[in-house]
Amino acid sequence: MVTKMLPDPLADFTTHSPSVSLRFIMFNQRIKVSELLKLDPNGQSVTVMGWVRTFRNNQFIALNDGSTNTNIQVVVELGKFDDALLKRITTSASLKVTGVIEPSLGKGQKMDLKATAIEILGDSDAEKYPLQPKKHSLEFLREKAHLRFRTNTFGAVFRVRHALAFAVHKFFNEKGFVYMHTPIITASDAEGAGEMFRVTTLPMDGTAPKNEDGSINHKEDFFGRSTNLTVSGQLEGELGATAFGEIYTFGPTFRAENSNTARHLAEFWMIEPEMAFCDLEDNMNLAEEFIQYIIRYAMENNREDLEFLATRLEEEEKQLPQDKRSELGLIEKLEFVLNNQFERITYTEAIDILRESNHNKKKKFQYEITGWGMDLQSEHERYLVEKHFKKPVILSNYPAAIKAFYMRQNEDGKTVAAMDILAPGIGEIVGGSQREERLDRLTARMKEMQIPEEELWWYLDTRRFGTVPHAGFGLGFERMVQFVTGMSNIRDVIAFPRTPGSAEF
Ligand code: 4AD
Ligand code: MG
């Protein structure tokens, strides 16, 4: 048996000779296009692999491997390759190309990859390939979500999404938070809003075991009780925080709310930090620092993609009437958020501003400002951030009646220590609060809201054994990705959106 020596992985990049044998090179010994484009092209031999974006004049292949939106231009010298091979270089065919890099003679790119060997890894029938090398609408691409990552827009969006997710972990890791994996299947409704997807293995054909009153008997179900997909990891997160001090979750959450809007998903990802020894103000400070941190990370690491998305947004907004366009470009907006503190006002102040606004006086709100106690609609939130303050706003101390049972009751007897962060163009991006740590107050509130104590005995134990002031919040990850990428529909920032009536792919 002949044992081959593994090649020096750098050999090909250091040699100036294109004639180095590639015979022993492992299949995936390739350079990513993003790395390749950083090199000074002076005859190095390299191998790239990717998908054909376009093939012009039987000579120029724009090859993309997903590491960047910038394609490498592969130059196919006339007469050097078989016609049969060239015919197979079609849009979205996958190729392995070896060649040498040289400064490009053409405009628009820094280097050419002059091909010495081309291998077709996978053919792509140009007649049948669903995406044409032209601009498609976002709606059309949503129906082709399995292929839309191969477009520039979605390439940029999902690389930025990745960077933001990475930055989330980096931020909390640097602060010493413990990453906690809370369960996906639960028996509790953390938000008490009843918007849950049921989880059951009982038959759906009417033969499920029933109680005497005709309701389904979940004692016979898989978990011996009725269960659902989690709407929030917060309650379990509080158990972690009251042991580790500071934890965060980052996972999928599910809401069966029938909201067909550009900001709602039935399955979305949420980041929920929970901190012991922390009050409402500490909570707001952390949320603001966190949002700025992850934006800064994307600005520093994904500049090219963000600039692409900024241009895309500018183009898209040209279709809109002047007063509907953003005042700031995407990059300027992000810079503004980094360089300015969020506005902090109470719910009560917000109601006053809304009531006194010209917008209200001219009856331009679809939902009337009825006064203190009303729940804010997204048009009200957006008025505050986009028209009045023109920056992110943290609203605090909401009426207890419109908030969840676990929020800390303020001394005024009518508000709770809640906070929402509202972002321009998005509306609510964060919801959080200081938690009610006083057992008697908490159980009294649960009684009022008809939440049975027996179901949350484990949650109440944290208040029985060494209770502490604590607080936390939830950031809707997709809304954050929307804010940073400027994508107006939430369906375009998650790989495979789940929304009412739609769960394809
Ligand atoms: O305001 P919410 O419902 O708060 C909670 O779930 C708390 N347990 C969080 C906590 O204090 N730990 O949801 C938090 C955030 C919202 O501000 C919003 O950004 C996002 O989650 N969100 C959604 N995102 C997409 N689609 C939906 N249907 C969403 N519902 C909430
Ligand atoms: Mg909320």
Side-chain angles (χ1 to χ4, degrees), residues 136 304 480:
H136 290 292
E304 191 186 291
M480 188 69 214

Side-chain angles (χ1 to χ4, degrees), residues 22 25-30 47-50 63 94-98 117-122:
L22 292 161
I25 288 187
M26 288 179 291
F27 176 73
N28 197 11
Q29 187 134 5
R30 65 179 174 121
T47 296
V48 295
M49 300 187 209
L63 196 71
S94 51
L95 305 187
K96 173 178 181 179
V97 179
T98 299
I118 298 176
E119 187 185 329
I120 311 266
L121 300 175

Side-chain angles (χ1 to χ4, degrees), residues 110-274:
K110 160 177 151 183
M111 66 174 76
D112 289 340
L113 174 62
K114 209 176 198 185
T116 51
I118 298 176
E119 187 185 329
I120 311 266
L121 300 175
D123 290 288
S124 169
D125 184 339
E127 301 279 291
K128 294 193 180 131
Y129 183 62
L131 306 184
Q132 305 309 313
K134 63 159 202 186
K135 207 169 144 35
H136 290 292
S137 75
L138 295 173
E139 289 78 10
F140 174 83
L141 290 171
R142 239 169 262 153
E143 288 171 7
K144 308 276 180 272
H146 58 309
L147 295 170
R148 66 179 176 170
F149 307 116
R150 296 187 192 185
T151 65
N152 282 337
T153 297
F154 289 92
V157 165
F158 284 94
R159 278 188 299 270
V160 171
R161 181 179 166 117
H162 159 77
L164 290 170
F166 181 76
V168 166
H169 290 298
K170 191 167 180 313
F171 176 81
F172 287 116
N173 187 54
E174 282 166 9
K175 289 202 172 283
F177 282 54
V178 170
Y179 178 29
M180 186 173 164
H181 298 102
T182 51
I184 304 282
I185 299 175
T186 72
S188 67
D189 176 5
E191 291 304 299
E195 293 162 335
M196 301 176 300
F197 288 101
R198 284 185 173 285
V199 175
T200 179
T201 51
L202 292 178
M204 293 284 133
D205 58 4
T207 61
K210 300 226 166 58
N211 297 311
E212 275 174 13
D213 64 1
S215 60
I216 304 274
N217 179 6
H218 284 284
K219 288 209 179 72
E220 310 254 324
D221 205 342
F222 189 90
F223 296 105
R225 63 194 301 170
S226 135
T227 50
N228 53 270
L229 295 180
T230 187
V231 294
S232 157
Q234 179 196 322
L235 302 191
E236 291 90 353
E238 285 184 55
L239 309 181
T242 51
F244 296 107
E246 293 174 320
I247 65 95
Y248 71 106
T249 72
F250 186 178
T253 43
F254 307 86
R255 306 257 167 120
E257 50 192 333
N258 201 358
S259 304
N260 238 320
T261 79
R263 305 175 317 124
H264 287 90
L265 290 165
E267 175 179 301
F268 64 100
W269 287 64
M270 185 154 49
I271 296 126
E272 295 186 276
E274 191 69 33

